Each structure stands twice: as C-alpha cells, then as structure tokens.
Amino acid sequence: MRNRGWALVVLFLLALAACKSDEERLNDLSRSTDKLGRLDLTRYDAGALVHEGFQAAQESETLELTRLGRVVHDCGLLLDGNEYALCRADAVATLTRIALTAPLAAAELPLEEHADLNKQALAQIEILDRVCKGLDVPRLIAGLQDADRTVVLAVHKELKAETGESFPATPAPWQAWWEKNAPHVLARAASASSAPLVTLGKLRYPSLAQARSVLGYVSARVATIDLPELDAVASSTILRIARQVVVLGLAKALDDKDVGVRWDACEGMRKVRDARFGESIARRWVLEREPLCQTKLLETAAEYPSRRTLEMHLLALLAEERAVRLVARDGLQRMSGITGPVDAEFWTTWYERTGRSLWP
C-alpha cells in the first residue's frame, strides 16, 4: 500500500511538471539529493524530481558530453547512498539505458592500476585546478554588478587572488584586463589540461565511490573549460570513466537490499556486456535467497560462460524451486550445446567428462 501511494504521488507530480524542459528536469536530479545521495527532505517533492530527472535522461536520444558525465555520476551517487528503492531502481535503469545508447568506451580498453589510486587521481585533479586558474574570471566580473555589497566584496577578493591584479571593484578595468589576457589564459589552460585528463581516463577505479567522484569532477571541470582544443581528450576521458561507473554501479546494485533493484541489475548486466559481470553474478549467487532473483541470476550468468558459471548452474539443479532448476538446465544446454534433462546427476557426469575443460 505504501508503494502504491508513492506511485500516485509521483504520477501527480509528473503531471504538474509536464511543462518543464528536459534541462530543468535534469538539473532537478542533482538538486534533489545531498552529497551522500540521500533525498533532500526539505523539498517535499524530492523523490518525484529525482524520478523525473532520470526519466529525462532515459528519454533523451543524445546527452551532451558533460551532462552525460554528471547524470552517470548522479546514478552512482544514488546507488551508493539513497534510501529509497525506487530511486535506486531508476538509477540502474538509467545506467543501463546510457550504456546502450551512448558511445561509452569499449570494455576491453586497457586501464592502469595504481596501489595508491586516490593519491594518483588527486594529483591530476590538483594539476587541473592550477592550470584552470583564471577561467572563472568572466563569471566573477559579472558578480561585481551584484546588488549585494557583501557579494561584490567577496567576488573582488577572489578576482584579485585568481589574477594577481588589484583593480578596483568595478567591472570595466577587469573586463579590459580579461579581453587582453583571455587568449593567453585559455591557450595555457587547454595545453596544460590535456595530460591530467588523459591520465584520469586511463586509471582503473576499484570502487564505485572513486569512479563516480572523479567522473563528477571531470564533467564539471570540462564544462567550465569549454575549449574546442580539448574536446577529443575530454570526450575520451569522460566516456572511459563513465563506462567504469556503469560496471561498478550495476555490480553495486546486484547486492542491493531490495529484490526489485537486484533483478534490474541482473537485467542490466544481461544487456550491457562486460566480462567482469560473470564474477559478480557468481559471487552473488552464493548469497541470493529469492527464487525470482535466483532465476534471473542464472539467465544472466549463461551470457558469461565460464567454469564458475557452469558450477553455479550445477548447484542450481539441486534448488527446491522447480523454476530455478528449469532455468539452470536451460542455461547448461545453452552453454554446452547439448540437450539434457533437469537432472543433477546427468549434468554432473557431463561436467566431469567434458564441461570442466571447456573454460578456464
């Protein structure tokens, strides 16, 4: 009954928000959660706004590059910390949709592993922050016209720190300085940003939190740089990290406490092909107790044949639920290329004679 009431609220608010642009709906996605991915409860419609944002992302035929990065980041953030299963399910569906429609980096592209990943990534971020110093000058100059004197003083202080200049707190001298120095500042930022962006795109991020945090930073930073010279490098970096967030996000969702989210994660893994999913599925099988998810795990595991997934199907032939046993037999037939009964002894004999040597 509680879920039904929530659904009615969502439908009502969706009707009210029908006049919103996709850009507004996508902006609401990040505005409706806190830094941990939880709903901002000061907004009574936060859950509905998150749903609308994810719907906008799924319905969009093409997402602008930095927007794609920010949406994928938001999906990872919600999977890491959101308290509502419906929001996490939306995140899974959105990751799956983006992975199937956007030109994310190929799964087989090599990635570099570092013992101290956080230190390596932070070093590149610090370089980007330094080389992009000064790119906020136009925004700060505009702030000098704010009606609030406190804002003007704060902006003036920041301008002096960013540029090393000490003009008065009026727009004209700062605008003249920017027009003279902008070509040099932009060229320097474009040249020096390339290497750290490339490095961030090549790193292997072990955890979802690491990958989505770096993706969120890079997407925001690239949006502020906005230099054509960096388009190719920025695109490669964002798409490579986004691919990792998709893989790590679906793996995270596979262990979700909600059975529906786990089922959606399986479906995502079935559609979004990645060799690492086979290991995640086999690991989850040991823990899964819901027959609905057990059958879905088996169906998905058959897409990633290996010795471990074969053994997973053999064990499933001993399950109490007949539906689970049937799906296990079907998977074994698919992986083996032979026809056999729903019988553990038959398939165990085949495995010992033939199946064990099919895959490492």
Side-chain angles (χ1 to χ4, degrees), residues 285 288-299 312 319 321 324 327:
W285 171 258
E288 189 57 65
R289 295 295 178 266
E290 289 288 340
L292 180 66
C293 281
Q294 287 178 335
T295 56
K296 195 64 179 176
L297 280 168
L298 290 166
E299 289 175 356
M312 172 180 161
E321 293 285 339
V324 175
V327 173

Side-chain angles (χ1 to χ4, degrees), residues 307-355:
R307 181 181 295 182
R308 189 167 183 183
T309 51
L310 276 177
E311 292 172 350
M312 172 180 161
H313 280 73
L314 290 173
L315 287 173
L317 289 172
L318 302 174
E320 293 183 8
E321 293 285 339
R322 176 170 172 76
V324 175
R325 298 197 302 272
L326 286 171
V327 173
R329 187 276 310 274
D330 293 345
L332 287 166
Q333 289 185 153
R334 177 175 179 177
M335 288 186 283
S336 68
I338 66 173
T339 300
V342 185
D343 180 76
E345 184 177 352
F346 172 89
W347 288 104
T348 300
T349 300
W350 167 82
Y351 177 75
E352 293 297 335
R353 292 177 178 175
T354 306

Side-chain angles (χ1 to χ4, degrees), residues 131 185-194 225 227 229-230:
V131 301
V185 173
L186 294 174
R188 182 186 63 189
S191 174
S193 295
S194 181
I225 299 174
L227 298 173
E229 302 93 320
L230 277 178

